[in-house]
Amino acid sequence: MKIPKQLNVIRRKVMRGLTKNMGQSNSTVKPGKEVIIKKILISRPNHRLGNLLLLSPIVQEVNDTFPDARIDLFVKGSISPIIFKNYKNIDQIIQLPKKPFSNLLKYIRSWSLLRWKKYDLVINTSHSSSSGKISTQLANGDYKFFNEWNDELHSEYPDYPHAAKNPIYNLRKFLTHLGFEKNTGKVPFLNIKLSPEEIETGKRKLEGITKNDKKTICLFTNATGDKCYSNTWWASFYESLKMTFPDYNIVELLPVENISRLDFKIPSFYSTDIREIGAFIANTSVFIAADNGVMHLASAVGTPTIGLFMVTDENAYKPYNDKSFSINTNNVKESEIPDLIKTVLQ
């Protein structure tokens, strides 16, 4: 059963109100007790591609901090096993069904597993997620990290509001209360961990489209709702790119709906396989898209990624791997963007 959009909005507001003050991170160590972290639960009960890719930095952070620990993920939907396929430290992925009313028994069973399994550390990765707070509260764990917003850390780190970095900064501080030394290293990038074989396959697919060895600019012209730029905008932008970068291939990656804001006028690639798409992007020189899950996928394969923002918060969702950046198109003209792209391609 599909919940009407308006009802879903109301449901979220009610849940956020009810869980606003739920939970307090537990970092109290009993006298004489050694803190041993071997079993960890990381909670992000969300099904969206972008949000699950944004989970990959904290999974890496936890693995680096506790290399001998086993990690369970509490998520939603069916794509997490694909994203975290090559993460060897992950033990179990507990998946809530995307449509709970159509899979009620599985939905109940997934929640019950949080009580059945015992964890040394439970981590909520989104301070604004009601279900994340509830799952952390419900889970059977010794130490619980609710990821509360911290104004002191916000003042210390300019990039603190970023959805992938925020839980890491907070977790690092939390762990010092458990007696662990503070990690001051660089926050991990998003990473889907493509294999060499996957990257090579992506290279062959790209070469099959371009028929040459020139470098390639990849465009993804789709997005949801008001994040999506018009056909007219993309057509004008493409002409600017073509004039500015005559020695580059320009290809379009098509969305699952198999539609094109460029009316299929340029070479394109279509796949519904997340890792295959990622491997294709990994062989391009720069990826340009509005804020969406595929933008985060491009970032997660290490390709310089330019995110176009006009309604969502770029400080929370911009790509941040090497040479990646965001552009607020409310402040930057479409004609000015090619010059910014030059800084990536130099």
Side-chain angles (χ1 to χ4, degrees):
M1 182 176 73
K2 187 176 181 180
I3 301 175
K5 185 176 181 180
Q6 191 61 34
L7 185 59
N8 213 17
V9 171
I10 296 172
R11 178 190 63 81
R12 288 176 182 171
K13 287 183 179 179
V14 171
M15 289 302 297
R16 285 174 181 169
L18 292 174
T19 61
K20 183 179 180 180
N21 299 312
M22 174 180 283
Q24 183 176 4
S25 294
N26 172 23
S27 58
T28 303
V29 180
K30 294 180 180 179
K33 182 179 180 180
E34 182 183 2
V35 178
I36 299 175
I37 306 295
K38 291 290 186 180
K39 296 180 180 179
I40 302 168
L41 175 70
I42 299 177
S43 178
R44 186 62 170 108
N46 188 285
H47 70 276
R48 294 186 179 277
L49 174 63
N51 286 329
L52 292 171
L53 288 165
L54 288 165
L55 193 63
S56 62
I58 197 166
V59 174
Q60 296 171 75
E61 174 83 7
V62 169
N63 185 52
D64 292 342
T65 306
F66 305 106
D68 297 326
R70 301 300 296 171
I71 299 172
D72 284 1
L73 301 181
F74 184 66
V75 294
K76 194 174 186 179
S78 59
I79 62 174
S80 290
I82 300 170
I83 293 172
F84 295 100
K85 175 184 176 182
N86 291 333
Y87 278 74
K88 305 304 181 185
N89 57 316
I90 291 178
D91 192 12
Q92 182 179 11
I93 299 179
I94 304 170
Q95 300 166 259
L96 291 171
K98 186 177 176 181
K99 298 179 179 180
F101 292 105
S102 300
N103 301 273
L104 195 56
L105 289 178
K106 182 179 179 182
Y107 184 77
I108 295 171
R109 181 180 180 276
S110 296
W111 280 101
S112 66
L113 284 174
L114 299 181
R115 296 299 304 168
W116 178 70
K117 297 194 72 171
K118 179 70 166 61
Y119 297 100
D120 302 309
L121 176 62
V122 180
I123 297 171
N124 173 39
T125 62
S126 175
H127 60 84
S128 62
S129 170
S130 301
S131 53
K133 292 178 181 179
I134 293 171
S135 60
T136 304
Q137 181 80 7
L138 182 64
N140 184 5
D142 289 333
Y143 302 105
K144 295 187 178 183
F145 167 72
F146 280 88
N147 192 29
E148 300 99 323
W149 184 269
N150 188 301
D151 288 330
E152 181 183 339
L153 292 177
H154 190 195
S155 299
E156 184 177 356
Y157 300 104
D159 55 354
Y160 178 81
H162 195 280
K165 298 181 180 184
N166 166 269
I168 292 175
Y169 287 131
N170 287 338
L171 180 65
R172 287 177 176 181
K173 185 174 181 64
F174 172 82
L175 290 176
T176 63
H177 297 309
L178 294 180
F180 295 96
E181 185 177 350
K182 185 177 180 180
N183 183 353
T184 58
K186 194 173 183 179
V187 172
F189 295 146
L190 278 66
N191 194 346
I192 198 173
K193 293 193 177 185
L194 292 173
S195 69
E197 293 77 16
E198 287 174 318
I199 294 173
E200 181 60 31
T201 299
K203 180 181 179 181
R204 290 197 300 270
K205 290 184 180 297
L206 177 60
E207 290 173 345
I209 292 172
T210 62
K211 311 295 184 183
N212 60 52
D213 58 0
K214 295 193 297 184
K215 293 182 178 180
T216 298
I217 297 171
C218 186
L219 308 178
F220 185 78
T221 63
N222 198 46
T224 57
D226 51 5
K227 293 190 292 184
C228 193
Y229 291 78
S230 68
N231 291 31
T232 302
W233 190 95
W234 279 109
S236 176
F237 180 59
Y238 168 70
E239 291 299 326
S240 298
L241 286 178
K242 192 167 61 171
M243 290 180 60
T244 309
F245 304 102
D247 297 325
Y248 282 78
N249 301 308
I250 303 176
V251 302
E252 181 180 9
L253 173 66
L254 301 175
V256 66
E257 298 88 354
N258 199 18
I259 58 176
S260 168
R261 299 286 169 184
L262 291 168
D263 298 320
F264 300 98
K265 291 180 179 178
I266 69 172
S268 60
F269 175 72
Y270 178 79
S271 174
T272 57
D273 185 314
I274 292 170
R275 301 190 69 85
E276 184 176 68
I277 295 169
F280 179 86
I281 297 171
N283 285 280
T284 63
S285 297
V286 64
F287 182 87
I288 306 168
D291 173 28
N292 60 67
V294 183
M295 179 197 75
H296 292 301
L297 178 60
S299 181
V301 301
T303 295
T305 302
I306 299 174
L308 306 174
F309 287 75
M310 60 177 170
V311 292
T312 45
D313 184 0
E314 61 184 310
N315 291 322
Y317 297 109
K318 63 184 176 182
Y320 69 90
N321 65 325
D322 287 339
K323 293 188 175 182
S324 293
F325 57 90
S326 61
I327 296 174
N328 188 322
T329 55
N330 295 309
N331 305 322
V332 178
K333 295 179 181 178
E334 170 260 304
S335 59
E336 297 172 339
I337 298 176
D339 285 335
L340 297 174
I341 297 172
K342 289 178 181 178
T343 63
V344 174
L345 296 176
Q346 288 175 348

